[in-house]
Amino acid sequence: MPEAPKERTLVLVKPDGVRRGLVGEVVTRLERKGLTIVAARMVRLTRPIAETHYAEHRGKPFYGELVEYITSAPVLALAVEGRSAITVVRALVGATDPAKAAPGTLRGDLALAMTSNLVHASDSPASAERELALHFHDKDFVRYTRTDAEYV
Ligand code: CMP
């Protein structure tokens, strides 16, 4: 069977992950899976960027708290590449509600609250494209081959 195509997706280590010192844990799990980090940026999101990022949630009861929270401290924005990366990263991250996320996932192991749920990951190819363009410029993406590329 042919390999699934390579995809690129956006991951944000949210303010709780940064402030709890869990950036390394998130990056480690992505790397150990065999995914390639092709851009990284530590940044405090502005309100307009946060509102654009979460535009699909505008009007929902949790929207205000979500924007306040995501702008409250820096995030680590990552562009992550690999076979089926969008689906694979969502599986590594786990269910949106950490109380329901499976053990072994990032949220299942390391988070408990819905708003401060450690990590954001794009949920579809269209979201990945939109979110990557919001957080990165074309020149931010690097190209390299992992030394274990033949296995992953
Ligand atoms: P994230 O994957 O970043 O996408 C939207 C975020 O909204 C989600 O993670 C949660 O942090 C937050 N959120 C808060 N309340 C809810 C809710 N009831 N349903 C979905 N997402 C919620």
Side-chain angles (χ1 to χ4, degrees), residues 16-114:
D16 58 308
V18 171
R19 296 187 66 199
R20 293 170 63 204
L22 293 172
V23 160
E25 176 80 25
V26 174
V27 169
T28 295
R29 291 198 189 193
L30 297 169
E31 288 186 317
R32 286 173 63 200
K33 180 68 177 170
L35 296 158
T36 304
I37 294 168
V38 294
R41 198 159 74 95
M42 187 69 103
V43 60
R44 180 134 180 195
L45 299 185
T46 63
R47 205 174 172 84
I49 294 287
E51 288 178 348
T52 305
H53 177 87
Y54 281 129
E56 67 179 293
H57 297 297
R58 199 184 302 260
K60 294 183 185 169
F62 58 87
Y63 176 75
E65 185 188 344
L66 184 59
V67 170
E68 277 302 314
Y69 161 68
I70 203 76
T71 56
S72 66
V75 301
L76 177 68
L78 300 167
V80 176
E81 200 173 83
R83 309 247 168 248
S84 303
I86 297 165
T87 314
V88 166
V89 170
R90 294 279 293 182
L92 291 178
V93 167
T96 303
D97 182 353
K100 297 187 181 127
T105 64
L106 280 159
R107 287 172 178 157
D109 289 351
L110 301 167
L112 203 50
M114 183 78 118

